[in-house]
Amino acid sequence: MNILILGSGGREHSLAWAVKQNPKCDRLIVAPGNAGIAMIAECASIDVENGAAVVEFATENAIDFVIIGPEAPLAAGVADALRAAGILCFGPSQKAAQLEASKAFTKDICDACNAPTAAYAHFTDADAAKAYIREQGAPIVVKADGLAAGKGVIVAEDVDTALDAIDDMFDGSFGDAGAEVVIEEFMEGEEASWFILCDGENVLPVGTAQDHKRAYDGDKGLNTGGMGAYSPAPVMTDSVIDKAMNEIIKPCVAEMAKRGTPYQGVLYAGFMIKDGQPRLVEYNARFGDPECQVLMMRLGGQILDLLLAAAVGTLDKAQVNWADDHAMTIVMAANGYPGAYEKGSVIKGLDALVEDSSNMVFHAGTKLVDGEITANGGRVLNVTARGATLNEARERAYHAVNSIHWPDGFNRTDIGWRAL
Ligand code: AMP
Ligand code: GLY
């Protein structure tokens, strides 16, 4: 098969790495890709948010299957354009991707099927939103409705912070994403993510993971896209998984189908778990980054068969072959991230690392300049390892991190602390 993956992050490097291990994969193209991806696949420069451009490229290159990595092409309707052109594609339609693109939409789906989630209200008017906040008190959570690159959520400890957040959102600091706000009850507990493939009707879980959102050790510093992850997440016990599946995932997937917008792709569910009860924090319509990296390390080449089963609607006949293993990924980011950072510094020591089915450095923001790997983004490398225990995976991953020479970058040293 000729396969096209859309995206350029660590998530897409890990997807490409796993897909390539499957004998069904003949030709692999990633658009736009990065320096690490270019070592294992062809990279193509196309506008991945332009459905017509993606269809044209896929047709010209006789692509049999397109895998969409990030949320922006999904929200732009690229999956719809591909399907309309008769090209097999993994990823939800624009309407179904509203599960990520609109928080109000997701809340409505949860209401319709009684899925446990935070109590909420949504507003298009700042004064009404403020009155509601004063009435509810703090802590309280203020969210811009649309996609805001992970920055549209303010967990306010006090009422004034929440009121300021409303002003910011209606002042346009969040662009169109802030034209509508969702105000939610603050949920206490431990967070975990679960990844479930869906074919519109059937569902197949492909692993749990825990991310580390804050920039620095001890969960200090600003929120980031994620500074490290591990899988499985011990807080997702069998009983929590059963509840999450029966009370949240299956009812929501059925509700989507009932509304004529069946969900086909990966459902990335974020839960808050307290006293053994999961409640939904959010859905995303794609794999998490860096969570995907640990899932791909554990799944390997079978992922292609699973993604194909989701795309053609045969997930009821598919199964995951699990090894009783653990994986961890550590993000190396440019100094200054998630604030301002420099591009162009040289990263050394990568060539000497062992890369095999249990040890990989997945690239995110990297660029090859004069034969050297240079930093070209905020999150730059995802140093990933697998082991029989989480501790073994951790030791391998940090051993590799410590062999990489990049004075202009930093990483957390406590990934996995909750589980270890
Ligand atoms: P979201 O973009 O909805 O995932 O929110 C980003 C982060 O904000 C989550 O991962 C949680 O840590 C936190 N958060 C969101 N909603 C709530 C809530 N209702 N209660 C507590 N924390 C929340
Ligand atoms: N790591 C969080 C995300 O991908 O949204």
Short mmCIF file of all heavy atoms in Angstrom, two decimals, residues 11 154 184 243 253 321:
data_model
loop_
_atom_site.label_atom_id
_atom_site.label_comp_id
_atom_site.label_asym_id
_atom_site.label_seq_id
_atom_site.Cartn_x
_atom_site.Cartn_y
_atom_site.Cartn_z
N ARG A 11 4.30 12.90 17.25
CA ARG A 11 3.19 11.97 17.03
C ARG A 11 3.29 11.32 15.65
O ARG A 11 3.23 10.10 15.51
CB ARG A 11 1.87 12.74 17.16
CG ARG A 11 0.64 11.97 16.68
CD ARG A 11 -0.62 12.82 16.85
NE ARG A 11 -0.45 14.16 16.33
CZ ARG A 11 -1.04 15.24 16.84
NH1 ARG A 11 -1.86 15.14 17.84
NH2 ARG A 11 -0.81 16.42 16.30
N ILE A 154 -8.78 28.03 31.57
CA ILE A 154 -8.25 28.65 32.78
C ILE A 154 -8.91 27.99 33.99
O ILE A 154 -10.13 28.06 34.16
CB ILE A 154 -8.48 30.19 32.80
CG1 ILE A 154 -7.45 30.85 31.87
CG2 ILE A 154 -8.23 30.79 34.17
CD1 ILE A 154 -7.95 31.19 30.56
N GLU A 184 -17.20 25.65 33.79
CA GLU A 184 -17.40 24.30 34.35
C GLU A 184 -17.09 24.23 35.82
O GLU A 184 -16.20 24.92 36.31
CB GLU A 184 -16.40 23.35 33.69
CG GLU A 184 -16.88 22.73 32.43
CD GLU A 184 -15.88 21.69 31.93
OE1 GLU A 184 -15.04 21.19 32.71
OE2 GLU A 184 -15.97 21.40 30.74
N LYS A 243 -16.13 1.23 33.67
CA LYS A 243 -17.06 2.35 33.83
C LYS A 243 -16.92 3.35 32.70
O LYS A 243 -17.91 3.84 32.15
CB LYS A 243 -16.81 3.06 35.17
CG LYS A 243 -17.29 2.25 36.35
CD LYS A 243 -17.14 3.05 37.63
CE LYS A 243 -17.61 2.20 38.80
NZ LYS A 243 -16.96 2.52 40.04
N VAL A 253 -20.36 7.42 21.52
CA VAL A 253 -20.18 6.95 20.14
C VAL A 253 -21.55 6.63 19.53
O VAL A 253 -21.83 6.96 18.37
CB VAL A 253 -19.21 5.74 20.10
CG1 VAL A 253 -19.20 5.07 18.73
CG2 VAL A 253 -17.79 6.19 20.47
N ASN A 321 -2.88 -7.10 19.97
CA ASN A 321 -2.01 -8.04 20.65
C ASN A 321 -1.13 -7.27 21.63
O ASN A 321 -0.24 -6.53 21.23
CB ASN A 321 -1.12 -8.77 19.64
CG ASN A 321 -1.95 -9.68 18.76
OD1 ASN A 321 -2.81 -10.41 19.26
ND2 ASN A 321 -1.74 -9.60 17.46
#
